[in-house]
Amino acid sequence: MSQLADHEDSKSRVEMVEALSNASDDKINTGDGTINLFHDGSMVLVPTPSADPKDPLNLPIWHKSLIIFLVGAYSAIGVLGTSGLGAVMPSVFQAYPNDDPARVTDLVTYPTLFMGIGNLVSMPLTLTIGRRPVFLFSLILLVVTGIWCAFSTSLSSHIAGRNFFSMAAGQSEALAPFIVEEIHFLHERSSKLSWFIGVQTVGTAAMFVMTAYVVPPLGLKWWYLILTFLSLGTLILSIFFVVETMYDRNVVEEDGPSSECKPAAGERRTLRPDIFGERTLRHDLKVFHHKPVWSRMVDFYIDTAKGFFIPTIFWILLFNGAFLGVYIYQASTFATILTMPPYNFAFDLLGWVQIFQIAVVMVLIPGLGYGTDLITKYLSRKQGGVFKPEFRLISLIIPTVMTVLGCVIYGQTGAHPTEYHWMGIAAPFHMCYLGFLTGNLIGITYAIDAFPEKAGARLMVICVGRGFISFGLSYSTVPAIEATGYDGAMNILAGIVGGLMLLGIPMYILGPRIRKWSVKTLWPALAEKN
C-alpha cells in the first residue's frame, strides 16, 4: 500500500509539473526570435520562469548581482592577463635580452589566437556538461598557468604558459556573458550585460595602472602572482555563488509565455518547492548537474559552421572584427605616440590614460545598457507588443559614428603630433573603445535574441571569429603604419567601420526575413517544431 501511495503521489506530482509547464500556444512563436513581449498592455517575462526554486531565473537579485560581479572579475583578470603586457613591452624585452625580439612579441600576439581556441574547446562542453564545471575549470586553469608563467625559466616556457592562460581566459568572451544572459529576462539583458562589461572594464583599467607600477620595478613574476591571487579569490567565491545556469526549460518557456500563463514583469511569482524541491547549498555546490550528451558537441560544431551562412550574424562578426581592429591598432600604438616628442609622457603615466576607460563605462551602462532595453520596449509597444531582435541594432548608431570620428582624429594626431593636443590620442582611444564595447554588447545580445535555441553556436561564430581576426590584425599593425602612416591606416579602418554601418540599414530592414529563412533552411526540424 505504501509503494502504491508513493507511486500515486509521484504520478500526481508529474501531472502538476506538466500543468505548470504547458499551455496553449496563441503567441508568435517562429523559433527565429520574434515573440510577443507585451500582453494586454503589460510586459511579460521571456523566458517564462518556472515554479522551480532551482530555476536560475528565480535567483534573488543579490545572487544574480554577485554572479555578474564574479564573472566580470574573472573576465577582467583574463583580459588583463592576455593583453596587459602590451603596456610594458620595454620591461618584457629587458627580461629576455638574449632572445630574438620577434619571439618575445609572441607573448602578446598569440594570446588572442588561443583565446579563440579556448572558446572552440569550451563552448561545446558547456552545452554538454553544463556552464558551472567549465567556468570553474577555467578559473583553476588561470591559477595553475599564472603560477607556471610566474616561475617559468625560459621564453619558450613563458610563451607556452601564456597560451594556456589565454585558453582559460577565452571564456570571458562567450561563456561569461552567456551566463549573465541566462539568469535574466529578455527585457533586461542589455542593461545587465552592460554591468558585466562595466565590472570587466573597471577591473581591467585598474589593473592596467597596477601593471605600470608593478612590472618595471618588481618584474613579471610578481605581476603574475598578483593575477594568480586574484584568480584564486574569484575561484573560491565562485565555488559557492556561481551556480549552474543551464536549465532544461520547456520550449514554451524559452520562446515566450502562452495566454494561460503570462507572468508580468514585477509580478510576484509563486514557487513550488513541494513539487520541484528546495534550492539547497548542497545543490548549489554540486559541480555536475547534467548527464553528458556527447553528441551535442558534434551538433554544436555543425550549428557553428551554419552560423557563418546567416547574413546578419556574419555582418555582426565583421562589425565586431572592425571595432576590434581599431581597438588593437590604437592600444598597440598610443603608448609609442605619447612617450615620443612632443608629448614626452612618463612611462608610469600611461596606466592612468587607461584608467579613463572608467568614464567610458559611466556612459555605457546608463546610456547604452539601459537605453537599449528602453528602446526595445518602446518599439515593441509600437509594434503591438511584438519584439524583434533588430530593435537592439539601433543602439549601434551613436557609438559607430563616434568610432569613425575617433579613427580620423587619432590618425591625424598620430601623423602630425606637433599640430594637435595629446587629447587627440587619448580621447579617440576611449571613443573607439566605447564603440568596441558597444559592438560586443549589442552583437552577443542580438545573437542570443535572434536564435534563442542556437544561442551558444551564434556566440561561437562572433567570439571565435573576431579572435582569429584580432590575431591577424596584431601582426599587421606595424606593417600598416610603415606603409600608410597613422593617418592612412586609421582612415582605412574608419572607412571599413563606416561602410559596415551603412550595411546595417539593409540588415535592420531584412533581418526578420533573414531569420525566418535561416531557421527554415538551416534548421528545418526546428521550423517544423515551432
Side-chain angles (χ1 to χ4, degrees):
M1 291 293 292
S2 176
Q3 292 180 344
L4 180 61
D6 289 343
H7 174 74
E8 290 297 325
D9 182 60
S10 175
K11 181 179 179 181
S12 64
R13 289 182 180 228
V14 170
E15 291 173 347
M16 292 175 69
V17 170
E18 292 177 345
L20 288 169
S21 301
N22 298 312
S24 64
D25 190 12
D26 72 339
K27 63 187 186 316
I28 297 176
N29 176 13
T30 61
D32 60 10
T34 299
I35 58 172
N36 277 337
L37 186 58
F38 290 88
H39 179 69
D40 292 338
S42 298
M43 184 171 60
V44 296
L45 298 178
V46 180
T48 306
S50 70
D52 185 359
K54 298 183 291 296
D55 184 342
L57 289 174
N58 292 326
L59 288 169
I61 295 177
W62 70 265
H63 199 155
K64 292 183 179 182
S65 300
L66 187 54
I67 290 176
I68 292 176
F69 174 78
L70 289 173
V71 297
Y74 152 78
S75 298
I77 296 168
V79 170
L80 189 279
T82 55
S83 63
L85 288 186
V88 289
M89 279 308 292
S91 297
V92 177
F93 284 119
Q94 291 174 11
Y96 298 100
N98 299 321
D99 289 280
D100 182 1
R103 285 203 67 223
V104 177
T105 59
D106 287 346
L107 291 169
V108 294
T109 54
Y110 275 98
T112 54
L113 172 64
F114 278 86
M115 286 183 75
I117 294 174
N119 276 309
L120 280 172
V121 175
S122 66
M123 282 304 290
L125 284 174
T126 64
L127 301 183
T128 303
I129 63 176
R131 303 3 166 188
R132 177 173 162 84
V134 175
F135 181 74
L136 294 181
F137 177 77
S138 298
L139 276 166
I140 293 172
L141 191 56
L142 283 184
V143 173
V144 173
T145 54
I147 296 174
W148 176 353
C149 292
F151 293 98
S152 61
T153 57
S154 68
L155 178 60
S156 296
S157 176
H158 190 182
I159 293 173
R162 280 185 61 77
N163 290 344
F164 281 102
F165 183 98
S166 301
M167 289 183 67
Q171 282 61 262
S172 64
E173 294 188 313
L175 176 57
F178 199 21
I179 290 174
V180 174
E181 299 262 7
E182 282 190 310
I183 61 177
H184 294 102
F185 300 102
L186 183 147
H187 70 275
E188 59 183 0
R189 284 175 177 169
S190 287
S191 56
K192 301 306 180 183
L193 191 61
S194 68
W195 278 107
F196 156 72
I197 294 176
V199 172
Q200 174 186 330
T201 302
V202 171
T204 303
M207 286 189 288
F208 258 113
V209 176
M210 176 271 294
T211 299
Y213 282 94
V214 169
V215 174
L218 301 179
L220 293 172
K221 175 181 177 180
W222 279 103
W223 183 71
Y224 279 116
L225 288 178
I226 291 173
L227 293 182
T228 300
F229 294 146
L230 292 172
S231 299
L232 182 61
T234 305
L235 170 63
I236 293 172
L237 290 174
S238 297
I239 290 173
F240 289 95
F241 296 109
V242 180
V243 299
E244 178 58 68
T245 60
M246 179 179 175
Y247 187 78
D248 294 329
R249 198 173 305 283
N250 187 278
V251 174
V252 170
E253 296 164 347
E254 284 288 355
D255 290 332
S258 66
S259 60
E260 295 183 12
C261 182
K262 290 183 178 287
E267 181 181 281
R268 184 178 179 85
R269 302 189 298 275
T270 302
L271 303 183
R272 299 299 304 270
D274 55 316
I275 299 175
F276 299 96
E278 295 277 4
R279 175 182 285 276
T280 63
L281 179 61
R282 180 178 180 181
H283 174 272
D284 288 349
L285 290 178
K286 187 178 178 181
V287 176
F288 296 95
H289 287 258
H290 302 275
K291 183 179 179 181
V293 181
W294 299 109
S295 60
R296 289 180 181 175
M297 294 190 67
V298 177
D299 294 338
F300 182 87
Y301 286 121
I302 294 174
D303 289 338
T304 299
K306 290 180 178 179
F308 287 95
F309 295 94
I310 302 174
T312 47
I313 296 298
F314 190 69
W315 172 73
I316 287 288
L317 164 62
L318 294 179
F319 213 57
N320 268 257
F323 278 127
L324 183 59
V326 172
Y327 176 66
I328 288 177
Y329 185 100
Q330 294 184 350
S332 303
T333 58
F334 87 94
T336 301
I337 297 173
L338 292 179
T339 54
M340 296 289 287
Y343 305 125
N344 296 317
F345 267 54
F347 186 74
D348 58 358
L349 291 179
L350 295 177
W352 292 100
V353 174
Q354 296 278 154
I355 204 70
F356 279 97
Q357 289 179 355
I358 294 175
V360 173
V361 172
M362 294 175 66
V363 174
L364 178 74
I365 293 176
L368 295 174
Y370 287 90
T372 298
D373 284 336
L374 289 174
I375 291 173
T376 298
K377 296 171 189 175
Y378 172 77
L379 293 177
S380 296
R381 287 184 182 274
K382 296 286 287 184
Q383 293 288 326
V386 177
F387 164 81
K388 296 179 181 179
E390 287 72 30
F391 294 159
R392 298 198 185 276
L393 301 180
I394 294 175
S395 299
L396 287 171
I397 296 175
I398 294 178
T400 304
V401 172
M402 290 176 59
T403 299
V404 172
L405 292 176
C407 286
V408 175
I409 296 171
Y410 187 98
Q412 291 300 313
T413 305
H416 312 285
T418 58
E419 301 177 15
Y420 293 87
H421 192 271
W422 62 267
M423 283 296 292
I425 295 297
F429 179 38
H430 297 307
M431 290 165 61
C432 295
Y433 184 62
L434 175 63
F436 167 65
L437 292 181
T438 304
N440 181 39
L441 185 155
I442 302 300
I444 60 181
T445 306
Y446 175 81
I448 291 175
D449 290 346
F451 302 95
E453 297 191 46
K454 303 292 181 181
R458 299 294 75 75
L459 287 179
M460 174 75 87
V461 173
I462 296 171
C463 296
V464 173
R466 74 182 182 207
F468 290 122
I469 290 173
S470 67
F471 175 67
L473 290 171
S474 63
Y475 270 104
S476 65
T477 297
V478 173
I481 295 172
E482 294 176 348
T484 63
Y486 288 109
D487 50 351
M490 279 280 93
N491 287 340
I492 291 172
L493 287 172
I496 293 173
V497 173
L500 288 170
M501 178 181 68
L502 294 177
L503 187 59
I505 297 174
M507 290 297 161
Y508 179 86
I509 296 172
L510 300 176
R513 295 183 182 179
I514 292 173
R515 286 185 283 110
K516 290 180 180 179
W517 170 85
S518 301
V519 172
K520 182 179 179 180
T521 305
L522 302 177
W523 296 282
L526 181 62
E528 291 178 5
K529 181 178 67 174
N530 290 295

